Amino acid sequence: MKRTILLFFILFCLNTLKAQHREIIIFFNDSTSLEGFGEVRKNKIYFKLEQNDKLSELDHLSVRAIHFVGYGFIEKYEYVKSDKYNKPKIMELLEEGNVNLYAFSEIVTKIYLPDINFPNNPNAFPAPVYKTGLQVEYFIKRPNEDVATDIVFSFKRRAIRYFSDCPELIEKINNKTFTSANIPEIVTFYNDYCNDELLRD
């Protein structure tokens, strides 16, 4: 009897937790906003006004941004175009300023073929190894730009061209003080120290 009650309690707790969604603020393309609860899945937003309501599915056609709020923190996400041909992706806004830094994260599975010799059986084929992990790509975008730039791909060439108005930053990239491993620091440096025009105003 006790075991049955315990099992029921565990199932009840799991179902309750599953039904709970995080507090969010939705920012629509028409400049209105709405508070409620929801989550992000597969580049879509699932939203409801109250925890017990049914979820509604939203996407970039109506939504510009979403903020997860609670516990004194705010996680900001926006729909961002990574190229002019594909639909916008939901990316986390990590740094905001003259240049915004976004992170696009997804779980990917890669297949590896072990480099193993089989002297006893040359016809044998090694079994593939599957590795799943979180892949993060960084994008940068000025507020007046329609499409974000993949700053990781061809890092040095793109970074020097994109931040060409900041000689101090270009020097740090050339002497490898900043590399592709320092992209968040690069954007912060640019927003803090390469904004002479606004500082003069």
Side-chain angles (χ1 to χ4, degrees):
M1 180 67 178
K2 290 182 179 180
R3 188 173 298 176
T4 302
I5 295 174
L6 178 62
L7 180 60
F8 174 81
F9 177 75
I10 292 174
L11 291 174
F12 174 79
C13 290
L14 289 174
N15 288 331
T16 301
L17 289 173
K18 186 177 180 182
Q20 300 298 308
H21 289 86
R22 297 177 64 185
E23 293 182 45
I24 62 175
I25 303 174
I26 298 287
F27 297 87
F28 295 95
N29 294 330
D30 62 1
S31 299
T32 60
S33 62
L34 201 59
E35 297 182 20
F37 302 88
E39 62 181 346
V40 173
R41 280 188 279 121
K42 295 182 179 180
N43 211 42
K44 293 186 177 181
I45 298 168
Y46 293 87
F47 175 79
K48 55 187 177 182
L49 289 173
E50 303 292 341
Q51 285 284 16
N52 294 328
D53 292 344
K54 185 178 179 181
L55 287 168
S56 299
E57 183 181 294
L58 303 170
D59 60 20
H60 68 280
L61 296 176
S62 59
V63 175
R64 175 182 59 83
I66 173 175
H67 292 179
F68 288 94
V69 298
Y71 306 105
F73 296 97
I74 299 178
E75 294 175 34
K76 298 181 179 181
Y77 292 82
E78 293 181 9
Y79 274 108
V80 180
K81 285 184 71 69
S82 58
D83 60 69
K84 61 183 179 181
Y85 302 105
N86 294 310
K87 296 178 180 179
K89 302 175 183 177
I90 291 182
M91 301 187 189
E92 184 175 5
L93 177 59
L94 300 178
E95 169 83 15
E96 194 170 4
N98 273 357
V99 169
N100 294 339
L101 174 65
Y102 298 92
F104 176 69
S105 306
E106 61 180 342
I107 298 175
V108 297
T109 300
K110 296 182 178 180
I111 303 175
Y112 299 89
L113 293 177
D115 186 15
I116 302 175
N117 294 320
F118 292 88
N120 297 327
N121 186 3
N123 295 322
F125 190 78
V129 176
Y130 297 88
K131 293 185 178 180
T132 300
L134 184 67
Q135 178 176 291
V136 180
E137 300 175 78
Y138 288 112
F139 293 84
I140 53 178
K141 188 175 80 70
R142 291 183 171 88
N144 63 343
E145 294 173 339
D146 295 326
V147 178
T149 297
D150 179 352
I151 194 61
V152 179
F153 182 76
S154 297
F155 164 75
K156 187 174 181 179
R157 178 177 62 84
R158 291 192 175 190
I160 289 176
R161 183 175 61 188
Y162 197 90
F163 299 111
S164 60
D165 59 337
C166 184
E168 297 88 349
L169 181 53
I170 298 303
E171 182 181 353
K172 290 180 179 293
I173 294 172
N174 280 325
N175 65 25
K176 297 185 178 180
T177 300
F178 286 149
T179 68
S180 59
N182 307 111
I183 291 173
E185 292 90 340
I186 290 172
V187 176
T188 298
F189 182 94
Y190 182 85
N191 286 334
D192 289 347
Y193 301 107
C194 301
N195 196 9
D196 293 340
E197 183 177 348
L198 285 181
L199 288 176
R200 287 196 298 269
D201 294 341

